[in-house]
Amino acid sequence: MHVRDMISTHPHVRGNTNEALIRCIEECYDCAQTCTTCADACLGEEMVAELVQCIRLNMDCADGTATGAVATRLSGSNEAVIRAMLEACSPACRLCAGECEQPAQAHHHCRICAEARWSCEDACRKATRSMAH
């Protein structure tokens, strides 16, 4: 990803980047892609009926791109909105990761997805703390 390079050249940042926020943006996009792929893989499983909640939560968590997008826009940024998005993303990732861990024993894609969610949850928490007043 080019997140760090792009943000560091932003005229309002002038090289003073928030590394925790950059990592969070990257993790949000990675998690969204992983969740989208996991939902699709769950749909391909023979026992798809048992994976309905996992699929739903994957789809919800895939919308983490909204958090990444809001955190990326820095022109006249409203830190309160970014913080609120991060604070919502963190528990969503935690809830989804817990759900995905249940079928993870049988489905490798669920195990990978749970790991991505835990990583995103951690990044969101750290980014929130980095923005605290």
Side-chain angles (χ1 to χ4, degrees):
M1 290 194 165
H2 296 93
V3 175
R4 180 176 288 100
D5 294 339
M6 289 302 296
I7 289 176
S8 69
T9 64
H10 193 288
H12 295 168
V13 174
R14 294 189 171 92
N16 296 318
T17 58
N18 177 334
E19 293 302 313
L21 187 60
I22 289 171
R23 179 174 170 259
C24 182
I25 293 165
E26 293 171 341
E27 291 291 340
C28 284
Y29 282 108
D30 180 64
C31 185
Q33 183 278 323
T34 303
C35 289
T36 299
T37 304
C38 189
D40 189 61
C42 286
L43 288 169
E45 295 291 348
E46 290 180 24
M47 55 186 280
V48 70
E50 296 174 28
L51 297 169
V52 169
Q53 185 62 11
C54 187
I55 294 165
R56 285 182 180 135
L57 290 172
N58 270 318
M59 292 168 40
D60 289 346
C61 213
D63 288 335
T65 55
T67 300
V70 169
T72 299
R73 289 189 290 271
L74 301 171
S75 294
S77 69
N78 184 340
E79 286 193 7
V81 173
I82 295 171
R83 197 175 302 107
M85 295 290 288
L86 295 172
E87 289 171 352
C89 190
S90 185
C93 284
R94 189 171 40 253
L95 175 68
C96 293
E99 180 67 30
C100 219
E101 285 181 336
Q102 294 173 8
Q105 278 77 20
H107 308 293
H108 188 64
H109 54 85
C110 288
R111 184 170 38 259
I112 294 167
C113 192
E115 290 170 8
R117 288 172 175 172
W118 287 123
S119 184
C120 187
E121 189 269 340
D122 180 61
C124 286
R125 273 188 302 101
K126 288 178 179 172
T128 302
R129 282 197 306 268
S130 76
M131 296 179 68
H133 292 284

